[in-house]
Amino acid sequence: MICNGLGLEKGYFEGEVSKTNVISVNHHIPCPNPSLTLGMPVHSDPNLITLLQQCDVSGLQILKDGKWIGVQPIPHAIVVIPGLQLKVISNDKFITPVHRVVTHAKEVRTTIGVFLGPSPKSLIKPATPLVLTEPEFRAFTYPEFLKTFTAGAKCDAHFALNHFRNKA
């Protein structure tokens, strides 16, 4: 569906660009004063796409227009979060949301996340059909991006992506 929406050939994301898959189960215990802790700090996902199965307890929040908006759980639904690699491949057409997880005062929250990402040898760059003049980003490998994302950028997605952005 993402290929169709971007006007890319079916199967564009198959192969090296989505070869690495990580599954994460997160169990957040209640906190009587949720303002004292976060279940997961503010971040953007560095991978290609995140698929998230939420339980029936809310906690995921997306930053929109400077305000935190709760993503209400829907039974049997999967939340799809575009990662930073999809932002690059889409030549800045996709937005990678800044999000966090807050704890609940009385209820346990458990989620299952599947993180689809490129193989270490995959070259990440804007898809050629989406580049009308100059690409927004230069090509890089996923390890090169992760090094910038975790070291110099200290997990700041904006800073990390600007490192690979073509300057106008």
Side-chain angles (χ1 to χ4, degrees):
M1 290 187 336
I2 293 172
C3 290
N4 187 41
L6 287 172
L8 297 173
E9 64 191 54
K10 185 178 178 181
Y12 184 89
F13 294 103
E14 293 176 5
E16 295 298 318
V17 79
S18 64
K19 190 168 193 133
T20 305
N21 301 317
V22 174
I23 296 175
S24 173
V25 177
N26 295 300
H27 185 73
H28 304 280
I29 60 173
C31 179
N33 187 350
S35 65
L36 295 177
T37 187
L38 285 174
M40 184 69 65
V42 175
H43 68 285
S44 292
D45 294 340
N47 52 300
L48 182 68
I49 298 169
T50 299
L51 305 173
L52 182 67
Q53 171 68 58
Q54 298 192 88
C55 63
D56 58 353
V57 177
S58 62
L60 177 64
Q61 296 181 338
I62 304 289
L63 185 63
K64 181 171 178 13
D65 300 326
K67 296 180 182 170
W68 290 106
I69 309 292
V71 178
Q72 294 305 313
I74 299 171
H76 312 292
I78 302 286
V79 177
V80 179
I81 303 173
L84 295 169
Q85 303 310 303
L86 188 56
K87 182 177 180 68
V88 171
I89 292 169
S90 73
N91 202 35
D92 233 358
K93 288 181 178 32
F94 264 94
I95 295 171
T96 301
V98 174
H99 55 282
R100 68 182 184 183
V101 176
V102 295
T103 56
H104 193 275
K106 297 179 181 175
E107 296 186 58
V108 169
R109 181 173 187 274
T110 302
T111 60
I112 301 171
V114 177
F115 303 89
L116 307 173
S119 76
K121 59 185 175 182
S122 179
L123 193 62
I124 308 299
K125 62 182 181 175
T128 304
L130 303 178
V131 178
L132 301 177
T133 55
E134 183 73 21
E136 289 294 320
F137 301 94
R138 66 177 174 84
F140 54 86
T141 64
Y142 195 52
E144 183 181 6
F145 174 79
L146 287 178
K147 181 177 178 186
T148 301
F149 183 71
T150 57
K154 297 180 181 147
C155 297
D156 180 326
H158 184 71
F159 181 91
L161 282 181
N162 279 342
H163 180 76
F164 301 101
R165 193 175 286 279
N166 284 324
K167 310 295 186 241

